[in-house]
């Protein structure tokens, strides 16, 4: 069994918690805690103490398939390696070396265990997550927009 605590933070109903516990139990992820959603503006600070961020979203339509979750950028700005589903919009960023992707609960368990046990991999992903967050901030993008307008 995986020797990590998986903390899920957000608006999660009791029914959803049971489904999540069943799903993750199949992958030997039985140490699960649930925390309430953090207020907007405090999300990044609320996750700074975690070791990695997990994105479990699935696209409900084609538009969602090619977009990136806000969670992805919250995790990266907190300097967290990311473990995510393989949606193209998210994989585009993950391919920069900031995380790993999975397709089912067993793969999720394996990747979490891999990050927990392989300190070199963890440090590499964390370093790239921090570098990504430093290079991809709105202030820099906004400057590029202004520079483009002025030229």
């Amino acid at each position: 069994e995986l020797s990590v605590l998986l903390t899920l933070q957000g608006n999660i109903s009791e029914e959803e918690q049971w489904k999540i516990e069943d799903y993750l139990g199949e992958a030997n992820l039985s140490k699960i805690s649930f925390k309430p959603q953090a207020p907007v503006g405090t999300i990044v600070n609320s996750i700074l103490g975690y070791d990695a961020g997990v994105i479990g979203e699935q696209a409900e339509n084609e538009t969602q398939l090619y977009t990136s979750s806000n969670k992805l950028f919250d995790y990266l700005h907190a300097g967290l390696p990311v473990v995510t589903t393989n949606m193209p919009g998210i994989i585009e960023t993950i391919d920069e070396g900031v995380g790993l992707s999975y397709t089912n609960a067993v793969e999720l368990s394996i990747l979490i265990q891999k990050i927990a046990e392989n300190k070199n991999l963890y440090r590499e992903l964390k370093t790239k997550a921090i570098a990504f967050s430093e290079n991809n901030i709105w202030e820099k993008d906004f400057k590029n927009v202004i520079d483009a307008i002025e030229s």
Side-chain angles (χ1 to χ4, degrees):
E1 184 165 305
L2 190 59
S3 60
V4 298
L5 171 65
L6 182 62
T7 302
L8 302 175
Q9 182 174 324
N11 273 339
I12 306 169
S13 71
E14 269 190 53
E15 183 179 340
E16 291 170 321
Q17 288 181 24
W18 295 330
K19 287 179 184 178
I20 290 167
E21 287 170 343
D22 286 345
Y23 176 76
L24 294 176
E26 293 173 19
N28 293 323
L29 291 168
S30 60
K31 296 177 185 175
I32 306 166
S33 75
F34 295 93
K35 288 192 173 182
Q37 180 175 344
V40 175
T42 67
I43 293 171
V44 172
N45 286 338
S46 77
I47 60 177
L48 286 173
Y50 298 151
D51 294 316
V54 176
I55 300 173
E57 296 173 10
Q58 297 291 327
E60 294 179 16
N61 58 53
E62 191 170 344
T63 301
Q64 289 177 336
L65 189 63
Y66 296 100
T67 60
S68 291
S69 168
N70 286 340
K71 287 178 196 167
L72 172 63
F73 299 101
D74 290 338
Y75 294 153
L76 294 175
H77 284 284
L80 302 179
V82 178
V83 180
T84 182
T85 54
N86 60 354
M87 291 176 30
I90 296 175
I91 293 300
E92 182 179 322
T93 301
I94 296 303
D95 284 347
E96 294 192 33
V98 299
L100 305 168
S101 67
Y102 66 94
T103 57
N104 59 50
V106 173
E107 283 183 20
L108 171 62
S109 175
I110 290 167
L111 292 178
I112 290 173
Q113 187 73 40
K114 186 175 180 178
I115 290 172
E117 292 175 349
N118 186 332
K119 297 302 177 195
N120 288 333
L121 174 62
Y122 174 76
R123 279 191 292 275
E124 178 185 336
L125 294 172
K126 186 167 184 65
T127 298
K128 289 182 178 178
I130 291 168
F132 181 91
S133 72
E134 290 170 350
N135 292 318
N136 293 278
I137 57 174
W138 171 242
E139 291 80 4
K140 284 186 178 183
D141 288 342
F142 186 70
K143 183 183 178 326
N144 292 338
V145 171
I146 296 300
D147 290 347
I149 291 170
E150 290 177 345
S151 52

